[in-house]
Amino acid sequence: MRELRTVLDFLRWAVSRFEAAGVCYGHGTDSAWDEAVALVFGTLHLPWDIDRSVLSARLTEGERVELAGRIARRVEQRVPVPYLTGEAWFAGHPFHVTPDVLIPRSPIAELIGRGFSPWLEADRVHRILDLCCGSGCIGIAAALAFPDAVVDLADVSEAALDVARRNVERHRLAERVNVRAGDLFAAVSGETYDLVLANPPYVDAADLDAMPAEYRHEPRMALQAGADGLDFARRILAQARAFLNPGGILVLEVGNSADALMEAFPDLPFFWFDFEHGGDGICMLEQSQLPLGR
């Protein structure tokens, strides 16, 4: 600690410790350097585009102690950086996060950036549902992308909804983003939408047991979805049609359970998205393609 004085000192030290410890990346970064930048800049409340001359700035003793402690927790306890700093970025926007919610990382961010074109026309999107919303990042990013739309955020976890409410306030969207409590569509009984974005738990039993330590800090209830990872996807597909307006679409994320989904529903014409910036396991169905439900 006595030898570490500047921002750059801590960046270099963090990279060395991360590499030596073999930490797992995947909560917003994919390298030791990016992980170190996220931790050091996030702790010091520095913007990502700061002038490089600031890297030589000397830190206060309090800042050095806090950074050393967080780097130690990242390495020794495998706590993901967003839980250490309390913030994650999604679709170009910052979000408050706690261990009560998954750390935002869904490729749905790329679809939001495209405005879901060509499947939807922006001026015809008036109602959006973020199902299993967690921190609310997907629905809030969609609200920012569709400024004329009303958005509902739905989740069964009250702790997660508290985080979502904080993010709604942070982005000043309380007038058109609603937080709804309930189990899947029970949270929005009687409502219909032009776009349903569903990122439910989808990790199957085998993958859950094999997860790196970093992912075990996330809420298990937001990950586990039975033996084949489809416990929630099945329920969503059975009910979604009644909650979509004609011409509306369901975007469903199932990650590594994609093959299991296609095997379980061979007659459904899933459209699988390709992503320029990485990611897979996200499909789409139009309202008319969904099962009639029960």
Side-chain angles (χ1 to χ4, degrees), residues 115-127:
F116 297 92
S117 177
W119 302 280
L120 291 176
E121 297 179 18
D123 60 353
R124 295 187 178 181
V125 178
H126 306 295
R127 298 290 312 283

Side-chain angles (χ1 to χ4, degrees), residues 47 50 121 164 174-175 194 267 269 271 273:
I50 197 167
E121 297 179 18
E175 291 187 359
D194 304 301
D267 297 328
F271 175 86
F273 294 99

Side-chain angles (χ1 to χ4, degrees), residues 33-85:
W33 175 257
D34 287 345
E35 188 89 345
V37 170
L39 177 54
V40 173
F41 280 29
T43 298
L44 299 175
H45 306 288
L46 296 175
W48 290 70
D49 58 352
I50 197 167
D51 190 288
R52 292 180 64 86
S53 64
V54 175
L55 297 180
S56 62
R58 293 167 65 91
L59 303 179
T60 67
E61 182 178 358
E63 290 171 332
R64 291 161 54 217
V65 169
E66 184 173 25
L67 274 173
R70 288 184 174 182
I71 292 170
R73 290 187 66 201
R74 180 68 187 91
V75 170
E76 296 165 11
Q77 300 175 27
R78 293 299 202 263
V79 179
V81 167
Y83 289 156
L84 295 171
T85 63

Side-chain angles (χ1 to χ4, degrees), residues 18 37 72 86 91 100-101 118 127 154 194 206 230 279:
F18 295 163
V37 170
D100 293 312
V101 299
R127 298 290 312 283
D194 304 301
L230 300 181

Side-chain angles (χ1 to χ4, degrees), residues 71-250:
I71 292 170
R73 290 187 66 201
R74 180 68 187 91
V75 170
E76 296 165 11
Q77 300 175 27
R78 293 299 202 263
V79 179
V81 167
Y83 289 156
L84 295 171
T85 63
E87 184 174 86
W89 286 75
F90 180 79
H93 306 289
F95 291 91
H96 173 66
V97 294
T98 75
D100 293 312
V101 299
L102 291 183
I103 295 168
R105 55 185 177 271
S106 171
I108 289 176
E110 187 174 320
L111 301 178
I112 294 171
R114 299 180 203 167
F116 297 92
S117 177
W119 302 280
L120 291 176
E121 297 179 18
D123 60 353
R124 295 187 178 181
V125 178
H126 306 295
R127 298 290 312 283
I128 299 173
L129 172 61
D130 177 1
L131 197 62
C132 305
C133 70
S135 67
C137 63
I138 291 176
I140 289 170
L144 294 169
F146 293 90
D148 296 325
V150 173
V151 178
D152 287 339
L153 311 178
D155 204 292
V156 72
S157 167
E158 285 292 347
L161 292 176
D162 285 342
V163 177
R165 291 184 186 97
R166 181 167 175 177
N167 283 319
V168 170
E169 292 297 328
R170 177 173 187 169
H171 291 281
R172 301 179 180 180
L173 290 169
E175 291 187 359
R176 59 187 184 89
V177 176
N178 310 299
V179 177
R180 313 282 288 269
D183 183 16
L184 296 182
F185 289 106
V188 293
S189 179
E191 303 287 353
T192 57
Y193 301 90
D194 304 301
L195 172 62
V196 172
L197 303 170
N199 183 14
Y202 58 72
V203 180
D204 64 38
D207 283 349
L208 196 68
D209 290 339
M211 287 191 307
E214 281 81 355
Y215 294 90
R216 299 181 187 278
H217 288 276
E218 295 186 290
R220 191 177 180 90
M221 67 179 294
L223 295 168
Q224 63 182 4
D228 62 359
L230 300 181
D231 282 4
F232 293 88
R234 286 188 176 88
R235 294 172 58 199
I236 290 169
L237 290 173
Q239 301 172 36
R241 182 169 181 148
F243 292 87
L244 278 166
N245 294 320
I249 63 172
L250 166 69

